């Protein structure tokens, strides 16, 4: 079992920045990948960014150049630095841990970007 706790969400004006954190209950060193997803009202959950155990990253086209995912294995934490935020980034952001044989989700954190 893995518990994931997200933090760092909130209300920000367009053009502003936020940093989301996802703290895992145990070592993330061997996890295949960790990622951030988001779900806006009335829309499907979508991948925002992911990072593998080897440090390879993948981003949704809509956030490339604005968001950066990183991981600190010593702190069992994954971060999502979000810059130049837009109103369309408004959503609940979820942390995901992919262990290949299992998949875990956090409870989500709300990000609201005002215009």
């Amino acid at each position: 079992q893995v518990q994931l706790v997200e933090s760092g969400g909130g209300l920000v004006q367009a053009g502003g920045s936020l940093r989301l954190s996802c703290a895992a209950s145990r070592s993330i060193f061997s996890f295949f990948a960790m990622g951030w997803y988001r779900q806006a009202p009335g829309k499907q959950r979508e991948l925002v960014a992911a990072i593998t155990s080897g440090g390879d990253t993948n981003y949704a086209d809509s956030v490339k150049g604005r968001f950066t995912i990183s991981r600190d294995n010593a702190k069992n934490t994954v971060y999502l630095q979000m810059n130049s935020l837009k109103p369309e980034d408004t959503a609940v952001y979820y942390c995901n841990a992919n262990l290949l044989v299992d998949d875990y989700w956090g409870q989500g954190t709300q990000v609201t970007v005002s215009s």
Side-chain angles (χ1 to χ4, degrees):
Q1 285 283 351
V2 179
Q3 283 75 48
L4 302 172
V5 179
E6 300 104 331
S7 61
L11 173 64
V12 64
Q13 288 189 332
S17 298
L18 284 173
R19 188 176 82 154
L20 305 183
S21 299
C22 172
S25 59
R26 63 178 179 91
S27 173
I28 66 172
F29 180 78
S30 62
F31 290 3
F32 175 73
M34 294 196 70
W36 287 96
Y37 290 71
R38 67 186 180 189
Q39 187 166 19
K43 295 188 177 182
Q44 288 190 329
R45 190 173 297 189
E46 63 174 357
L47 174 69
V48 176
I51 185 166
T52 68
S53 57
D56 294 328
T57 58
N58 181 41
Y59 296 93
D61 288 343
S62 59
V63 307
K64 282 181 181 176
R66 299 188 298 123
F67 291 11
T68 303
I69 190 170
S70 62
R71 59 193 290 164
D72 185 336
N73 289 338
K75 295 183 178 180
N76 300 332
T77 301
V78 174
Y79 303 98
L80 184 68
Q81 178 66 44
M82 305 186 294
N83 298 328
S84 302
L85 283 160
K86 304 176 181 180
E88 51 263 43
D89 294 318
T90 295
V92 177
Y93 284 69
Y94 296 92
C95 179
N96 171 266
N98 181 353
L99 280 64
L100 289 181
V101 294
D102 280 309
D103 208 26
Y104 297 93
W105 294 90
Q107 81 288 350
T109 185
Q110 176 71 46
V111 171
T112 303
V113 185
S114 63
S115 57

